[in-house]
Structures are given as structure tokens and as C-alpha cells.
Amino acid sequence: NAGVTQTPKFQVLKTGQSMTLQCAQDMNHNSMYWYRQDPGMGLRLIYYSASEGTTDKGEVPNGYNVSRLNKREFSLRLESAAPSQTSVYFCASSAGYIGGYGYTFGSGTRLTVV
Amino acid sequence: DQQVKQNSPSLSVQEGRISILNCDYTNSMFDYFLWYKKYPAEGPTFLISISSIKDKNEDGRFTVFLNKSAKHLSLHIVPSQPGDSAVYFCAASAQTGANSKLTFGKGITLSVRP
């Protein structure tokens, strides 16, 4: 049971380059989320998808776009990377209602923009 | 406007002693609370939760207490073990229905000294 799988695990980009972070879950969850974690800032929500076919902005959406490709997959795209986007990115999924254990997180993508 | 606050960034305790991690919230609509544990290079994992209809929930060495009037919850770890050294995130949800989202605190780094 893989849970939430993120690829890649590490990435170094040059300023201005673009890339897509991939996320897939195998738990038949309705909702998926993208967070970034920065020192002293905790987990901040970038975008989320409450259900297949819908996406909404979170707390820090600027500079990012998302695609809910199907129920399993939710990708995060950086169109023109900036050093301020150096961070650890986590994808998460949930059944869509809060109870039990809440979210299941992936192991993260460590992104460095130089 | 930080709705979930973990004001102490770090805590150091001796092995075998009690660890008390605190969390405050401002949104009176929050009705479900969770603690997540995060090791370096891994995603956060669910630890324990509590509903607003309870004031205590226990799971082995971990107990969460909720004081609704004070908008305060705490995580007690007894006895603390070196393997408990990690970052602990407090999270809260304002909805019990569909499409609920979690709001996270900034995290507390717990160090348990052998």
C-alpha cells in the first residue's frame, strides 16, 4: 500500500526554469492538497482539490498552477521558478471530510532554485 | 492572521520524563484537532486526534487534552523516548462536513535527550 507518492524527491532548478511536481494516491481519496514547508513557517497550503475536476487557491498560490488530472493524480507546476520557491513541497490526500487521521502525506520534494 | 499557534519553536526533555507540547487556536468554529509528527526527510504522519465533544483522548504514551474555553490543546508524551525526537504539528479543522481543510501551526521541534 503506497499511500501518497511524490516525484521527484529532489530537484535543482535555475531561476526562470519550469517544472511539474507529480503526486499520486492509491487510497481512493476525494481531496488532494499541495503544501510547502519553510523554516519557521510551518505547513502552508498552496492549492487544493476538494474533488476530481475542482481546484482552489490556498494561502500561498502565487507562482504556482495545479492540475487534478484524475481522482488519483494532482500535479503542481512552477512556470518560472524563483529563489523564493526554494522549499520542501508536500502533497497530501484525504477522504474529503475531517475525521480519523485527517490527511495522508507524501514524503516530499526538496526543491532548490538557484 | 495565524489561527493555529504553536508559540514555542522547540522543547528539550530528558528521556523518561514528560513532554508537554502546547497549541492555541483563535477560530471558535474549529471542532476537530489533530497532532502530526514529522521526522527529517519524511512527510508528516498522523499521531492523535480529538473532537471538540471530548476534553481528552489517549493512545498509549500519547494524550491530547482540549480546553475549549481557553482555545488551547496540549499533547502529553509519557514517558518520552529518544525516538520521539521530531517536529510536531498541531492542526485544526472548522468543518465536519465535506471538503474540510486543516489549518496547521508552525510546529514544535522536540528533542529527547538520552
Side-chain angles (χ1 to χ4, degrees), chain B residues 84-99:
Chain B
D84 296 329
S85 297
V87 177
Y88 290 79
F89 290 101
C90 174
S93 172
Q95 295 173 271
T96 54
N99 306 325

PDB file of all heavy atoms in Angstrom, chain B residues 84-99:
ATOM      1  N   ASP B  84      11.124   9.811  19.986  1.00  0.00           N
ATOM      2  CA  ASP B  84      10.071  10.826  19.880  1.00  0.00           C
ATOM      3  C   ASP B  84      10.619  12.139  19.354  1.00  0.00           C
ATOM      4  O   ASP B  84       9.846  13.066  19.059  1.00  0.00           O
ATOM      5  CB  ASP B  84       9.428  11.079  21.242  1.00  0.00           C
ATOM      6  CG  ASP B  84       8.699   9.852  21.782  1.00  0.00           C
ATOM      7  OD1 ASP B  84       8.180   9.062  20.977  1.00  0.00           O
ATOM      8  OD2 ASP B  84       8.674   9.690  23.026  1.00  0.00           O
ATOM      9  N   SER B  85      11.925  12.259  19.242  1.00  0.00           N
ATOM     10  CA  SER B  85      12.533  13.490  18.739  1.00  0.00           C
ATOM     11  C   SER B  85      12.092  13.719  17.294  1.00  0.00           C
ATOM     12  O   SER B  85      12.372  12.905  16.406  1.00  0.00           O
ATOM     13  CB  SER B  85      14.063  13.396  18.815  1.00  0.00           C
ATOM     14  OG  SER B  85      14.491  13.275  20.155  1.00  0.00           O
ATOM     15  N   ALA B  86      11.384  14.810  17.066  1.00  0.00           N
ATOM     16  CA  ALA B  86      10.781  15.088  15.765  1.00  0.00           C
ATOM     17  C   ALA B  86      10.150  16.470  15.831  1.00  0.00           C
ATOM     18  O   ALA B  86      10.150  17.134  16.871  1.00  0.00           O
ATOM     19  CB  ALA B  86       9.720  14.052  15.425  1.00  0.00           C
ATOM     20  N   VAL B  87       9.580  16.906  14.713  1.00  0.00           N
ATOM     21  CA  VAL B  87       8.762  18.123  14.693  1.00  0.00           C
ATOM     22  C   VAL B  87       7.300  17.712  14.847  1.00  0.00           C
ATOM     23  O   VAL B  87       6.845  16.772  14.172  1.00  0.00           O
ATOM     24  CB  VAL B  87       8.949  18.911  13.383  1.00  0.00           C
ATOM     25  CG1 VAL B  87       8.034  20.141  13.363  1.00  0.00           C
ATOM     26  CG2 VAL B  87      10.404  19.335  13.220  1.00  0.00           C
ATOM     27  N   TYR B  88       6.579  18.392  15.720  1.00  0.00           N
ATOM     28  CA  TYR B  88       5.177  18.085  15.970  1.00  0.00           C
ATOM     29  C   TYR B  88       4.316  19.262  15.508  1.00  0.00           C
ATOM     30  O   TYR B  88       4.507  20.396  15.933  1.00  0.00           O
ATOM     31  CB  TYR B  88       4.936  17.814  17.454  1.00  0.00           C
ATOM     32  CG  TYR B  88       5.552  16.505  17.891  1.00  0.00           C
ATOM     33  CD1 TYR B  88       6.916  16.423  18.151  1.00  0.00           C
ATOM     34  CD2 TYR B  88       4.770  15.358  18.029  1.00  0.00           C
ATOM     35  CE1 TYR B  88       7.489  15.215  18.535  1.00  0.00           C
ATOM     36  CE2 TYR B  88       5.337  14.157  18.418  1.00  0.00           C
ATOM     37  CZ  TYR B  88       6.697  14.096  18.663  1.00  0.00           C
ATOM     38  OH  TYR B  88       7.263  12.909  19.036  1.00  0.00           O
ATOM     39  N   PHE B  89       3.371  18.958  14.636  1.00  0.00           N
ATOM     40  CA  PHE B  89       2.450  19.975  14.137  1.00  0.00           C
ATOM     41  C   PHE B  89       1.068  19.775  14.755  1.00  0.00           C
ATOM     42  O   PHE B  89       0.534  18.662  14.763  1.00  0.00           O
ATOM     43  CB  PHE B  89       2.309  19.874  12.612  1.00  0.00           C
ATOM     44  CG  PHE B  89       3.533  20.286  11.844  1.00  0.00           C
ATOM     45  CD1 PHE B  89       4.391  19.331  11.328  1.00  0.00           C
ATOM     46  CD2 PHE B  89       3.821  21.626  11.636  1.00  0.00           C
ATOM     47  CE1 PHE B  89       5.512  19.701  10.613  1.00  0.00           C
ATOM     48  CE2 PHE B  89       4.942  22.011  10.927  1.00  0.00           C
ATOM     49  CZ  PHE B  89       5.797  21.046  10.417  1.00  0.00           C
ATOM     50  N   CYS B  90       0.504  20.846  15.219  1.00  0.00           N
ATOM     51  CA  CYS B  90      -0.880  20.891  15.649  1.00  0.00           C
ATOM     52  C   CYS B  90      -1.712  21.333  14.448  1.00  0.00           C
ATOM     53  O   CYS B  90      -1.276  22.190  13.664  1.00  0.00           O
ATOM     54  CB  CYS B  90      -0.995  21.902  16.795  1.00  0.00           C
ATOM     55  SG  CYS B  90      -2.656  22.249  17.359  1.00  0.00           S
ATOM     56  N   ALA B  91      -2.893  20.743  14.272  1.00  0.00           N
ATOM     57  CA  ALA B  91      -3.759  21.110  13.153  1.00  0.00           C
ATOM     58  C   ALA B  91      -5.200  21.146  13.623  1.00  0.00           C
ATOM     59  O   ALA B  91      -5.582  20.444  14.564  1.00  0.00           O
ATOM     60  CB  ALA B  91      -3.593  20.119  12.004  1.00  0.00           C
ATOM     61  N   ALA B  92      -6.013  21.961  12.959  1.00  0.00           N
ATOM     62  CA  ALA B  92      -7.414  22.100  13.346  1.00  0.00           C
ATOM     63  C   ALA B  92      -8.279  22.253  12.113  1.00  0.00           C
ATOM     64  O   ALA B  92      -7.833  22.738  11.074  1.00  0.00           O
ATOM     65  CB  ALA B  92      -7.580  23.324  14.258  1.00  0.00           C
ATOM     66  N   SER B  93      -9.526  21.820  12.264  1.00  0.00           N
ATOM     67  CA  SER B  93     -10.487  21.930  11.176  1.00  0.00           C
ATOM     68  C   SER B  93     -11.743  22.627  11.660  1.00  0.00           C
ATOM     69  O   SER B  93     -12.209  22.385  12.769  1.00  0.00           O
ATOM     70  CB  SER B  93     -10.846  20.550  10.639  1.00  0.00           C
ATOM     71  OG  SER B  93     -11.916  20.639   9.718  1.00  0.00           O
ATOM     72  N   ALA B  94     -12.304  23.482  10.777  1.00  0.00           N
ATOM     73  CA  ALA B  94     -13.524  24.229  11.125  1.00  0.00           C
ATOM     74  C   ALA B  94     -14.777  23.569  10.596  1.00  0.00           C
ATOM     75  O   ALA B  94     -15.851  24.026  10.858  1.00  0.00           O
ATOM     76  CB  ALA B  94     -13.435  25.645  10.580  1.00  0.00           C
ATOM     77  N   GLN B  95     -14.625  22.472   9.865  1.00  0.00           N
ATOM     78  CA  GLN B  95     -15.793  21.856   9.248  1.00  0.00           C
ATOM     79  C   GLN B  95     -15.816  20.374   9.562  1.00  0.00           C
ATOM     80  O   GLN B  95     -14.796  19.718   9.596  1.00  0.00           O
ATOM     81  CB  GLN B  95     -15.752  22.031   7.728  1.00  0.00           C
ATOM     82  CG  GLN B  95     -15.857  23.464   7.270  1.00  0.00           C
ATOM     83  CD  GLN B  95     -15.649  23.575   5.783  1.00  0.00           C
ATOM     84  OE1 GLN B  95     -14.531  23.735   5.311  1.00  0.00           O
ATOM     85  NE2 GLN B  95     -16.720  23.458   5.036  1.00  0.00           N
ATOM     86  N   THR B  96     -16.977  19.859   9.770  1.00  0.00           N
ATOM     87  CA  THR B  96     -17.110  18.419   9.948  1.00  0.00           C
ATOM     88  C   THR B  96     -17.743  17.774   8.725  1.00  0.00           C
ATOM     89  O   THR B  96     -17.850  16.584   8.651  1.00  0.00           O
ATOM     90  CB  THR B  96     -17.973  18.085  11.179  1.00  0.00           C
ATOM     91  OG1 THR B  96     -19.230  18.773  11.058  1.00  0.00           O
ATOM     92  CG2 THR B  96     -17.285  18.545  12.429  1.00  0.00           C
ATOM     93  N   GLY B  97     -18.149  18.582   7.772  1.00  0.00           N
ATOM     94  CA  GLY B  97     -18.755  18.045   6.564  1.00  0.00           C
ATOM     95  C   GLY B  97     -17.741  17.795   5.488  1.00  0.00           C
ATOM     96  O   GLY B  97     -16.555  17.648   5.737  1.00  0.00           O
ATOM     97  N   ALA B  98     -18.204  17.791   4.265  1.00  0.00           N
ATOM     98  CA  ALA B  98     -17.324  17.523   3.138  1.00  0.00           C
ATOM     99  C   ALA B  98     -16.381  18.695   2.894  1.00  0.00           C
ATOM    100  O   ALA B  98     -16.641  19.815   3.322  1.00  0.00           O
ATOM    101  CB  ALA B  98     -18.161  17.263   1.896  1.00  0.00           C
ATOM    102  N   ASN B  99     -15.294  18.429   2.194  1.00  0.00           N
ATOM    103  CA  ASN B  99     -14.340  19.449   1.783  1.00  0.00           C
ATOM    104  C   ASN B  99     -13.697  20.176   2.947  1.00  0.00           C
ATOM    105  O   ASN B  99     -13.380  21.360   2.865  1.00  0.00           O
ATOM    106  CB  ASN B  99     -14.997  20.479   0.858  1.00  0.00           C
ATOM    107  CG  ASN B  99     -15.662  19.813  -0.320  1.00  0.00           C
ATOM    108  OD1 ASN B  99     -15.181  18.805  -0.827  1.00  0.00           O
ATOM    109  ND2 ASN B  99     -16.790  20.344  -0.731  1.00  0.00           N
TER     110      ASN B  99
END
